[in-house]
Every structure is written in structure tokens, then in C-alpha cells.
Amino acid sequence: MSNAPVLILLGPPGAGKGTQARMLEEDFGLVQLSTGDMLRAAVAAGTEAGRRAKSVMEAGQLVSDEIVLAILKDRMTQPDMARGIILDGFPRTDGQAAALDALLAANGQKVTAAVSLEVDDEAMVGRVSGRFTCGSCGEGYHDEFKQPAQAGTCDKCGGTAFKRRADDNAETVRERLKAYHAQTAPLIAYYEGKGVLARIDAMGPIAEVRQALSSIVGQVAA
Ligand code: ADP
Ligand code: AMP
């Protein structure tokens, strides 16, 4: 049995899940679990799961529940999970949500809160197309909305190498938005039915969204 909070960030690609999850790590000492990051690491490492996921990710579709759950379950056995977690990009299907419930129940836990970041699809194409990250520490940036204080140098770690994701192009983003609406958006009603859903307007600047999210998370993870 653990009282550690389990938070879920829901929202389409570009909604700000990763950006806000990293801030919640700083503000509340929680651990970010991004299945997208885990899958990209598996692709880069050339594991069996990574080889199977690669073309699916490039096409902007969802990787099978089987692969995603195997990767996530493995990560959830690590001791730092006791600090509480922020799930970023998971669950994305009914099957993943049910599997998460079962996984948590086995440990006497349940989802503490699911926060839906509400945004306009069209704005997400611009957000995702302008995204880049520090190659050393993974800090996220944007060509227009979040530039490093000193051009070419990461604010967090001083790194000077940045990278862009292969799937962050306008065409693939539209596929990912379709997958979101068909397979993931229904989870908003699922968590609403469980009485753990909060919705926030995530169209405003990063600092405003951070404030709105902090006031929700502060009630369950202070
Ligand atoms: P997600 O994890 O939901 O796909 P990210 O957190 O990676 O989204 O954000 C996508 C891009 O948009 C990043 O380049 C990030 O810097 C930028 N971004 C995040 N939140 C906002 C916001 N509220 N306003 C403007 N740009 C944002
Ligand atoms: P993200 O980093 O969350 O934008 O995810 C990038 C890509 O990884 C997605 O377009 C999917 O192909 C895959 N992916 C990440 N998380 C999941 C998940 N929970 N279920 C299925 N596919 C996922």
C-alpha cells in the first residue's frame, strides 16, 4: 500500500504535457514518466521493442498496448516511484487505462488525479513544429514560445547540442492528432466517471498553465 500520488496529464501532442511534467518534478518532487521518452530510448538503443515501435511512431500512430505496457511496467518497479508519479502520454487507450488501474490496485493505489490540458488542435501544429530539446538534459524549448535565454545554450545544463524529433513535422502531427481524438480523448470521460478529472485551459503562456496546474496538484501532492 502506498499513498504516493499518481497524476495523469491528458492532452494532444503539443498540449504541454512534457513541459509541465518537468516543472511538476521541480515543484513537487514527483517523477515524470513519459512513455514517448521511453519508446524513443528503446528505438535509439535498438531493442526488440524499439525495432517494432519505430515505424509506428514515424507514422504518427499508437504503438501496441503490449509494447507500451511492458516498458512502463518495467519502469514502475524502480524504487523512485515511491515519490509519486506524473504520467505524461500514458494511458492513451482504454486498454492502457484498465491495465494501469490493475497495476496500481495490486499495490493498493489508484489514480489520484487526471488533468486534461485543453487546447485547440490547429495551434498544436505550430507548437509541435517549433519544438526542440537539449541533447544533454532533455529540457524542452520552442522556436517562438520558449527560447533559451542565451541562444544556442541550454538554460538548465549549459549544453550546446539540441535535437528535433523526426515525428514533429506538420503531416505526422495531424496523424497524431487523429489518433489522439479517436483513441485517447475518450479517457477524459473515463476519469470524469471516476471523479478524478480536472480540466485546465492550456492555451495560455507556459507560466499561466503552470500556475493553474500547481494549484490542482498542490491539493493532492503537497
Ligand atoms: P507535449 O508533451 O504535450 O507533446 P510539450 O510540452 O513538448 O508538449 O510542448 C510542445 C511545444 O510547445 C514545446 O516546444 C514547448 O516548449 C511548447 N509549449 C508548451 N506549453 C506551451 C504553452 N502553454 N504555450 C506555448 N508553447 C508551449
Ligand atoms: P509522445 O512523446 O508522447 O508525443 O509520443 C510519441 C509517439 O510515441 C506517439 O506518437 C506514439 O507513436 C508513441 N507513444 C508514446 N506513448 C504511447 C502510448 N502510451 N501508447 C501508444 N503509443 C505511444
Side-chain angles (χ1 to χ4, degrees):
M1 177 79 171
S2 162
N3 290 325
V6 177
L7 305 171
I8 296 173
L9 295 184
L10 290 166
K17 302 180 297 296
T19 303
Q20 297 297 334
R22 286 175 74 93
M23 292 176 170
L24 290 174
E25 283 196 315
E26 280 174 21
D27 295 348
F28 295 95
L30 302 167
V31 179
Q32 173 194 18
L33 292 187
S34 157
T35 45
D37 285 348
M38 292 176 208
L39 287 164
R40 281 184 288 280
V43 171
T47 65
E48 166 69 18
R51 281 197 296 276
R52 286 168 61 197
K54 188 170 187 281
S55 58
V56 180
M57 292 170 77
E58 281 168 356
Q61 279 148 18
L62 294 188
V63 173
S64 72
D65 287 356
E66 179 209 348
I67 292 180
V68 174
L69 286 166
I71 285 185
L72 185 86
K73 279 183 187 168
D74 190 40
R75 178 67 182 90
M76 283 182 77
T77 60
Q78 313 276 317
D80 61 345
M81 297 294 94
R83 284 162 43 195
I85 57 176
I86 313 150
L87 291 162
D88 153 15
F90 178 93
R92 260 173 152 107
T93 64
D94 291 346
Q96 291 178 17
L100 175 65
D101 286 345
L103 204 62
L104 294 172
N107 195 29
Q109 287 179 284
K110 48 189 178 180
V111 172
T112 317
V115 184
S116 169
L117 304 183
E118 313 252 307
V119 289
D120 300 335
D121 270 18
E122 272 316 301
M124 295 308 102
V125 178
R127 277 209 198 161
V128 171
S129 307
R131 166 163 57 191
F132 63 99
T133 53
C134 171
S136 305
C137 74
E139 182 68 6
Y141 294 97
H142 191 278
D143 291 329
E144 188 182 341
F145 307 125
K146 190 188 167 198
Q147 296 165 344
Q150 191 187 328
T153 305
C154 175
D155 297 344
K156 291 277 158 172
C157 75
T160 53
F162 294 87
K163 53 186 185 185
R164 288 180 192 263
R165 282 167 47 177
D167 61 344
D168 277 353
N169 58 76
E171 194 189 328
T172 311
V173 175
R174 289 187 203 285
E175 282 309 307
R176 289 158 61 199
L177 285 167
K178 273 193 221 157
Y180 172 78
H181 287 292
Q183 291 165 275
T184 309
L187 296 182
I188 296 173
Y190 177 78
Y191 290 112
E192 194 161 38
K194 287 180 175 286
V196 294
L197 183 79
R199 297 172 191 265
I200 62 174
D201 177 359
M203 284 304 292
I206 293 173
E208 253 173 45
V209 179
R210 180 184 200 167
Q211 210 168 21
L213 199 53
S214 285
S215 76
I216 293 168
V217 176
Q219 292 168 29
V220 294

